[in-house]
């Protein structure tokens, strides 16, 4: 095992908790699936230490070396997931959420019953093969942030109401309350019912659609990890345009054959142009006409109650780091902000409150109120007083400086700023030429500008 | 060695005046010929002797009436006569006193030694229990601290009775006819006497017994004359008027507990309340061997040391297999050492930090609630470092059986500090000694430094220099015509827990500070007046014991010597001296104990410094430079108040009192603003702005750790100021100083210009621009010298406000998380420096946040008890910003300021704090 052997790699192990039999192992390196696997002895001892602790009533949660993190998690006392990551900046928060999502993905495709009552390990192994595609995409470098933020990645279409109307009408005719338009794993519009979907499936369903090979139409059985983990539903997908798919979640009715071309045509032909526009919009997420400050290199805009998010790094600005680096920076920053300053418990219990658009102060007032009204126990314990509700934070990254060969570090001096107002949180990646003290103003303005979208 | 009981004549180096000399000598003369601590010296010459001063003893007395001093290393298996002596000394002094009384047949026969806790109260023999509350109050025990030495002086002068001089009780015998054994009615109390200080002795009370010895006017003088030395005495009074006694006793008692607990912990006693709290909290320290001898498979043989034994910790001990396996396996898989793991135990998250050295593994587990993971990792590093400093290596610390008791004590203190620092430290400054504060400052690689006025600093420097020169008679080689025992490498002086002067290299200073931290000495001296503290032990400073990289004739080679740490505490002073044996001094043989001459000399130095104490106190009492604002002033509700405050002379005074000359200040402030603007306009504004500051600071501070001396700068400033004779005198001193110390200002004209500018910045008392001062708090860490600067507790206390204290708590909490990020950056930099050639990973590295060089968080707060339902509470927003300077040497700055600060001011704040630290 050379040192280079695992750097930048993620290994995911799934074992039956009672017997310790490995169900599957997936690895990825540098963002792409890899065949390299951990030796069996390592898998055995990773599971062994966890089991040893469990027998003594001590649950091993995570371990770290200087550059590697390992997280253990057992679900329903039957499946143990272990992830070992040596990606730079890997954090426990990210890995824990990853494991939850992976288990969600397993339930989504196999069903909870199969996983909790393992009768035939070999059969389960075979069934779990279906999840490999989805799980590999979760391990790898995605363009989306849903795996980390637990929010649905969205696109703000130019003609939102028009599409919304068409979707609602279509769903009614088909007889389902769950319908949405998905482009490359991002939701363009969804029915009210769709947005009410529970936590893992709301993220997983678009993600799944994004990872499946392109097909004109599908009828795919899925379990809903939150909503109905034991009774399967049908996920119908219809490709309206290349990469743009219409998803409908329904029971035994209607059969796929009922969705005749006429029905589709009637509803979607009139809005063909807006649909095309959506397609072009896909990586940018926000309308083309919407102008942002040129210094902004990337943004992650979350609505924590609606569980929706915009995540984009395609905002122009050819200079600066590559899109992939930008995405990674924003993700790391999200982890930092969530883990240290805006703990996730904070927003969960907060009552939804309308945020008025106005001066920053009034915004702050509203949000402060709401946080006080529903302040979680955790926070109350920690602070016991309203002093120090974090509102914003920023990071200046990169030590400035040229390397010994005079080479400029690509990440030098980049600024990242996060601002929280009510249920909304905005994270920006800003180019080095923007002065530090202007960051907050920039973020506040951008937040206000984006507020209509979410 | 050549200590011939001649401590009465201590030739003092360069006495300032005769009075000084007199006072020093007289004090020394009054001390026993044989030093009090000489009995407490341990087998290996180690000594930890702590005696509180009069006042503190008094307050402590109410809690534990029996103990005067206890040593804490438990290895008593010493040579026979030593052991006997030890045993005798081990008894609390009260007993000793009783013994003396007994031997003089003064002790009534009913005195029986029933339990080991101390003499039985005479009251127990009286049937008071049955008679209800009133009768129980007929007698009261008052513990006072008496010091016959002080008293002798008085007595000789005024021919007073012992009753008056010792206890401060006036009893007029003339009023009554002298009869056999009249009752000792308290007719009056001497102001400042122990009886009055206790606050429990009332006029009209009748003194019935001293230390359970019945006294009358007849025998009182004889009884009192038997008091051998400074000690606590229990006085039993018959209460004249039972009702009068309500008083505020219980309150006082409560307030005192905490500080006393610390002392008791230090003395190695079990402190019930403190221990009980820890019982249920899972925490552990283990030292495990990774190499198992499979031949002798014994249970738990891999455990070389562990602490504590509580049930919650047993569980952690039982899963040590996890730690061993992880340590082994993950190292194979990942190629790097395991640093930590997290477990949940009874629904509680516990972090375990690893420290691997050779084939041994040191583990510390603490609950996440108490200690976040990044801090735990610095804690374990500190522990390992301190143990190495104390014992040479972890192996020698843990593997020697005789160390076990000391380690138990060490880790008892460690866990108390880590888990409930607020309980351990005094209640007087609870608000600043909250958990996050102590966690934050404890893990900083530095010690809090107090900037001092020029003259004071000079004086202290000179006194310490004199000590270090070590050319007093006994220490000079000519005197006895033999080599001196030790060379004084340097010393550092603490006052009330702040470092005020250090003549030690940074590494030594850090080592010594960490030692002091682990034994809670700094909080101890800050809160209590220490009567006498002597610590002596052999130490292994890393700075001196590092193996030379290559034998080079040009480079100075550290002599193969041995090193000893001598800490002497007196009142609020703590003087740490690092001694070297071998090298120029004679080689140390065996385990030498503390040498009287050195101890006395250090003590004399401290006594000499007593004169400075007033100016130090004054410095502590005066508002800080830069001045701070109280957060409460900024809340809209108290807006009008603020307005009045800013315009009132009070605030202006706050800003200016620390400076004598006010007139140039406006000019200076203007200038500083101006210089700042020019900087702002410079092209390197956004990115290079900080670097600019760094370079500026380089001029000021990077003279690679010579002596810790911020003064040249200040001195030069003073020299510039138009001034009277005082200024000119300081000028003289300054020039003298400059000659002896490497001064960055001599480096060149260019640099000087820059530094002058810096100096102007340094001058400004108000950091922020605009009409209002908006700086709330700051911490500046300087790693070159191993110091940090932050407003003193006194300063924080001055700005007393409900919001403000909360804000500071939050500030420290936030600093902890910011610092955790900076630590990652530092680690990243270190790594980058290591593989500078093969940086194939650089594109990867760019995608993580490191290195972070600045991190700020905006908080909002509102008053705690907002009763007005209709109106929304006013909101105040403030920033906590940390900045990391990597060059020339890592420095960290944390500031907390109001949101309304202009951008320029933020930069200024950074530069100024920077100027402070250099």
């Amino acid at each position: 095992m050379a040192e280079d052997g695992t750097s930048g790699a993620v290994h995911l192990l799934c074992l039956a908790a009672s017997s310790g039999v490995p169900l599957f192992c997936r690895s990825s390196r540098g963002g792409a699936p890899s065949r390299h696997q951990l030796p069996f002895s390592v898998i055995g001892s990773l599971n062994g230490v966890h089991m040893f602790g469990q027998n003594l009533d001590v649950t091993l949660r995570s371990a770290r070396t200087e550059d590697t993190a390992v997280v253990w998690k057992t679900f329903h006392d039957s499946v143990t997931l272990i992830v070992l990551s040596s990606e730079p900046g890997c954090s426990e928060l990210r890995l824990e959420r990853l494991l939850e999502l992976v288990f969600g993905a397993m339930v989504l495709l196999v069903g909870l019953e199969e996983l909790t009552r393992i009768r035939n390990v070999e059969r389960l192994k075979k069934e779990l093969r279906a999840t490999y595609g989805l799980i590999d995409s979760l391990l790898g470098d995605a363009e989306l942030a849903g795996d980390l933020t637990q929010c649905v990645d969205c696109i703000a279409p130019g003609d939102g109401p028009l599409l919304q109307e068409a979707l609602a009408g279509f769903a009614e005719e088909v007889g389902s309350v769950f319908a949405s338009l998905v482009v490359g794993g991002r939701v363009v519009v969804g029915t009210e019912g769709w947005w009410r979907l529970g936590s893992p499936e709301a993220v997983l369903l678009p993600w799944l659609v994004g990872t499946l090979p392109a097909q004109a139409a599908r009828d795919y059985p899925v379990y809903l990890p939150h909503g109905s983990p034991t009774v399967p539903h049908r996920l119908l997908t219809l490709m309206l345009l290349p990469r743009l798919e219409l998803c409908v979640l329904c029971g035994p009715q209607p059969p796929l054959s009922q969705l005749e071309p006429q029905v589709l045509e009637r509803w979607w032909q009139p809005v063909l142009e807006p649909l095309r526009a959506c397609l072009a919009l896909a990586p940018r997420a926000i309308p083309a006409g919407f102008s942002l400050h040129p210094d902004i290199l990337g943004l992650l805009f979350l609505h924590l109650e609606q569980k929706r998010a915009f995540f984009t790094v395609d905002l122009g600005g050819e200079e600066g780091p590559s899109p992939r680096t930008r995405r990674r920076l924003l993700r790391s920053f999200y982890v930092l902000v969530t883990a240290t300053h805006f703990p996730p418990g904070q927003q969960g219990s907060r009552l939804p409150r309308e945020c008025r658009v106005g001066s920053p102060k009034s915004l702050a007032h509203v949000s402060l109120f709401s946080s006080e009204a529903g302040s979680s126990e955790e926070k109350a314990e920690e602070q016991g007083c309203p002093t120090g509700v974090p509102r914003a934070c920023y990071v200046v990254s990169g030590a400035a400086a040229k390397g010994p060969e005079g080479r400029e570090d690509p990440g030098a001096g980049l600024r990242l700023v996060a601002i929280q107002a009510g249920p909304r949180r905005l994270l920006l990646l800003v180019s080095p030429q923007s002065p530090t003290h202007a960051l907050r103003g920039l973020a506040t303005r951008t937040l206000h500008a984006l507020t209509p979208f979410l | 060695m050549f200590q011939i009981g001649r401590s009465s004549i201590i030739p003092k180096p360069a006495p300032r005046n005769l009075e000084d000399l007199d006072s020093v000598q007289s004090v020394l003369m009054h001390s026993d010929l044989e030093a009090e601590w000489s009995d407490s010296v341990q087998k290996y010459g180690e000594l930890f002797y702590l005696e509180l001063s009069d006042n503190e003893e008094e307050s402590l007395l109410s809690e534990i009436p029996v103990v005067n001093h206890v040593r804490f290393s438990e290895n008593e298996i010493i040579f026979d006569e030593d052991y006997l002596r030890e045993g005798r000394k081990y008894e609390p002094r009260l007993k000793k006193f009783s013994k003396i009384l007994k031997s003089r047949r003064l002790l009534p026969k009913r005195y029986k030694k029933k339990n080991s806790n101390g003499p039985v109260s005479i009251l127990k023999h009286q049937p008071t229990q049955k008679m209800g509350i009133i009768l129980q109050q007929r007698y009261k025990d008052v513990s006072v601290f008496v010091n016959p030495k002080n008293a002798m002086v008085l007595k000789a002068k005024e021919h007073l009775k012992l009753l008056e001089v010792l206890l401060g009780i006036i009893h007029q015998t003339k009023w009554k006819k002298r009869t056999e054994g009249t009752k000792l009615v308290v007719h009056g109390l001497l102001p400042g006497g122990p009886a009055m200080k206790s606050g429990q002795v009332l006029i009209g009370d009748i003194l019935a017994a001293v230390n359970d010895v019945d006294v009358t006017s007849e025998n009182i003088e004889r009884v009192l004359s038997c008091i051998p030395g400074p000690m606590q005495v229990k006085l039993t009074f018959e209460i004249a008027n039972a009702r009068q006694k309500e008083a505020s006793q219980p309150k006082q008692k409560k307030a005192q507990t905490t500080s006393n607990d610390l002392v008791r912990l230090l003395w190695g006693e079990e402190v019930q309340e403190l221990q009980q709290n820890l019982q249920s909290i899972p925490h552990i320290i283990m030292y495990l061997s990774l190499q198992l001898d499979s031949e002798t498979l014994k249970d738990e043989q891999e455990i070389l040391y562990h602490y504590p034994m509580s049930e919650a910790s047993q569980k952690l001990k039982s899963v040590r297999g996890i730690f061993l396996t992880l340590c082994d396996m993950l190292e194979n898989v990942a190629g790097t050492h395991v640093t930590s793991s997290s477990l949940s135990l009874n629904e509680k998250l516990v972090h375990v930090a690893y420290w691997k050295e050779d084939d041994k593994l040191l583990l510390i587990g603490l609950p996440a609630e108490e200690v976040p993971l990044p801090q735990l990792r610095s804690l374990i590093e500190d522990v390992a470092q301190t143990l190495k400093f104390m014992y040479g290596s972890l192996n020698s610390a843990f593997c020697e059986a005789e160390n076990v008791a000391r380690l138990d004590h060490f880790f008892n203190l460690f866990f108390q500090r880590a888990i409930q620092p607020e309980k351990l430290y005094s209640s007087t400054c609870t608000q600043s000694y909250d958990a996050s504060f102590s966690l934050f400052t404890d893990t900083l690689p530095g010690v809090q430094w107090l900037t001092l006025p020029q003259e004071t600093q000079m004086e202290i420097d000179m006194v310490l220099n004199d000590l270090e020169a070590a050319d007093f008679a006994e220490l000079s080689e000519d005197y006895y015509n033999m080599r001196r025992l030790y060379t004084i490498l340097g010393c550092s002086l603490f006052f009330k827990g702040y470092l005020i002067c250090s003549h030690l290299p940074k590494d030594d200073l850090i080592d010594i500070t960490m030692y002091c931290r682990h034994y809670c000495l700094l909080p101890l001296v800050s809160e209590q007046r220490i009567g006498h503290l002597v610590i002596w032990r052999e130490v292994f400073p890393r700075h001196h014991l590092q193996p030379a990289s290559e034998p080079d004739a040009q480079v100075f080679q550290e002599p193969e010597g041995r090193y000893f740490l001598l800490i002497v505490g007196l009142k609020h002073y703590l003087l740490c001296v690092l001694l070297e044996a071998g090298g120029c001094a004679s080689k140390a043989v065996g385990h030498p104990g503390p040498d009287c001459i050195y101890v006395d000399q250090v003590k004399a130095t401290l006594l000499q410094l007593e004169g400075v104490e007033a100016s130090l106190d004054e410095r502590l009492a005066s508002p800080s430079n830069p001045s701070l604002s109280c957060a409460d002033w900024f809340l809209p509700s108290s807006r009008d108040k603020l307005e009045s405050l800013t315009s009132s002379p009070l605030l202006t005074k706050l800003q200016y009192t620390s400076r004598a000359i006010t007139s140039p200040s406006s000019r200076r402030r203007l200038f500083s603003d101006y210089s700042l603007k020019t900087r702002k306009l410079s092209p390197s504004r956004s990115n290079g702005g900080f670097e600019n500051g760094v370079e500026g600071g380089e001029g000021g501070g990077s003279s690679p750790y010579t002596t810790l001396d911020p003064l040249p700068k200040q001195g030069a400033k003073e020299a510039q100021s138009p001034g009277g004779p005082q200024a000119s005198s300081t000028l003289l001193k300054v020039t003298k100083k400059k000659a002896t110390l490497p001064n960055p200002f001599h480096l060149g004209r260019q640099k000087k210009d820059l530094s002058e500018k810096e100096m102007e910045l340094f001058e400004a008392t108000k950091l922020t621009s605009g009409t209002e001062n908006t700086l709330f708090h700051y911490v500046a860490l300087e790693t070159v010298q191993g110091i940090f600067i932050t407003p003193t507790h006194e300063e924080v206390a001055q700005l007393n406000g409900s919001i403000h204290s909360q804000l500071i708590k939050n500030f420290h909490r936030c600093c902890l998380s910011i610092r955790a990020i900076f630590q990652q950056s530092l680690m990243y930099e270190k790594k980058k420096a290591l593989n500078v050639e093969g940086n194939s990973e650089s594109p990867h590295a760019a995608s993580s946040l490191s290195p972070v060089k600045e991190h700020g968080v905006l908080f909002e707060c509102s008053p705690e008890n907002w009763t007005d339902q209709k109106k929304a509470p006013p909101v105040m927003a403030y920033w906590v910003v940390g900045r990391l300077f990597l060059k020339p040497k890592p420095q960290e700055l944390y500031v907390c300021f109001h949101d309304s600060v202009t951008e320029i001011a933020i930069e200024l704040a950074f530069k100024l704090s920077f100027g402070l630290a250099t």
Side-chain angles (χ1 to χ4, degrees), chain A residues 1-3 5-8 30 38 41-43 45-46 49-50 52-54 56-68 70 72 84 86-89 92 324-325 328-330 332-334 336 340-342 360-361 364-365 367-369 372 381-405 407-413 415-416 432-438 440, chain B residues 315-316 318-323 325-326 329-346 349 354 369 373 377 680 685-687 690-691 802-803 806-807 810 813-814 817-818 821 827-829 831-832 836 839 841-864 869 871-879 881-883 886-887 899 902-904 906-907 910:
Chain A
M1 248 319 91
E3 272 100 80
T6 48
S7 69
L38 291 174
S41 64
V42 171
I43 298 177
S45 26
L46 277 175
V49 284
H50 185 246
F52 173 69
Q54 208 103 60
L56 290 167
D57 250 354
V58 173
T59 316
L60 181 60
R61 302 244 297 234
S62 65
R64 278 205 82 101
T65 75
E66 277 147 34
D67 60 358
T68 308
V70 188
W72 288 262
L84 184 146
S86 52
E87 283 179 316
E92 274 86 348
R324 187 163 162 241
T325 311
R328 286 192 167 226
L329 280 169
L330 271 174
S332 316
F333 187 52
Y334 174 83
L336 169 75
T340 55
H341 302 307
F342 308 131
K361 289 281 176 208
H365 272 223
S367 53
L368 187 71
F369 245 128
E372 266 177 274
E381 258 179 31
E382 205 176 76
Q383 306 182 335
C385 76
T387 328
V389 184
R391 285 281 151 251
C393 73
Y394 70 87
V395 153
V396 178
S397 159
K402 294 166 188 151
E405 307 92 34
R407 212 164 46 86
E408 192 79 24
D409 192 345
R415 288 103 166 79
L416 288 134
Q433 65 246 26
S434 188
T436 321
H437 51 80
R440 184 166 165 243
Chain B
K315 195 145 240 173
L316 279 172
S318 65
V319 295
R320 63 191 176 278
I322 293 183
F323 311 132
T325 315
L326 281 180
M329 173 189 58
L330 284 185
E331 205 174 316
N332 286 337
V333 177
T336 44
H337 288 304
V338 184
T339 54
S340 65
S341 59
S342 312
L343 314 155
S344 55
L345 197 103
N346 307 332
L349 186 63
Y354 296 63
E369 273 174 19
L373 189 51
R377 281 162 64 175
K680 201 211 158 198
R685 164 77 190 83
S686 60
N687 211 357
F690 329 132
E691 275 67 56
S802 59
I803 303 281
Q806 296 291 342
L807 175 139
N810 192 41
R813 213 157 39 82
C814 189
S817 46
I818 295 179
I821 295 163
M827 225 144 74
Y828 167 84
E829 284 295 312
K831 223 189 249 168
K832 210 171 84 178
V836 102
N839 49 2
E841 278 184 323
S842 62
H844 239 2
S847 57
S848 72
L849 283 181
S850 304
V852 173
K853 60 180 182 184
E854 186 173 333
H855 186 28
V857 186
L858 177 76
F859 289 96
E860 266 173 12
C861 69
S862 52
E864 237 166 303
Q869 295 290 328
K871 265 192 343 197
V875 176
M876 197 227 6
Y878 61 93
W879 283 97
V881 180
R883 190 175 279 185
L886 285 164
K887 289 171 199 165
D899 187 32
T902 53
E903 311 72 55
I904 319 161
I906 299 173
E907 290 300 314
F910 279 112

Side-chain angles (χ1 to χ4, degrees), chain B residues 539-560:
Chain B
V539 291
F540 305 86
R542 55 185 154 165
H543 174 67
H544 300 283
L545 293 174
Q546 263 164 8
S549 49
E550 60 206 74
D552 187 352
Q554 300 290 314
V555 182
F556 170 69
Q557 296 280 320
E558 289 286 348
E560 284 183 23

Side-chain angles (χ1 to χ4, degrees), chain B residues 341-445:
Chain B
S341 59
S342 312
L343 314 155
S344 55
L345 197 103
N346 307 332
E347 311 286 311
K348 211 167 188 181
L349 186 63
V350 177
H351 293 309
V352 179
Y354 296 63
W355 184 266
K356 196 184 169 198
E357 205 159 287
D358 303 331
D359 54 347
K360 305 290 195 306
L361 184 64
L362 175 68
L363 291 170
I364 295 182
L366 277 169
E369 273 174 19
E370 269 78 20
V371 184
L373 189 51
Q375 278 69 52
L376 181 61
R377 281 162 64 175
S378 349
L379 279 183
I380 198 172
E381 205 179 324
D382 284 357
V383 165
Q385 191 57 52
T386 310
L387 288 175
K388 278 190 220 162
F389 178 64
M390 290 166 65
Y391 297 101
S393 71
L394 290 186
N395 260 336
S396 58
F398 286 108
C399 297
E400 309 219 344
E402 64 209 2
N403 283 343
V404 169
R406 295 170 212 215
L407 288 174
D408 282 354
H409 181 258
F410 180 87
F411 286 111
N412 184 12
L413 276 173
F414 171 77
F415 285 122
Q416 296 285 359
R417 243 164 26 96
I419 294 175
Q420 43 187 19
E422 69 280 6
K423 287 226 172 82
L424 204 56
Y425 300 142
S426 162
S427 51
T428 50
C429 39
T430 1
Q431 58 164 13
S432 39
Y433 259 128
D434 65 283
S436 345
F437 171 77
S438 60
L439 248 190
F440 180 58
T441 51
D442 275 7
T443 50
L444 281 179

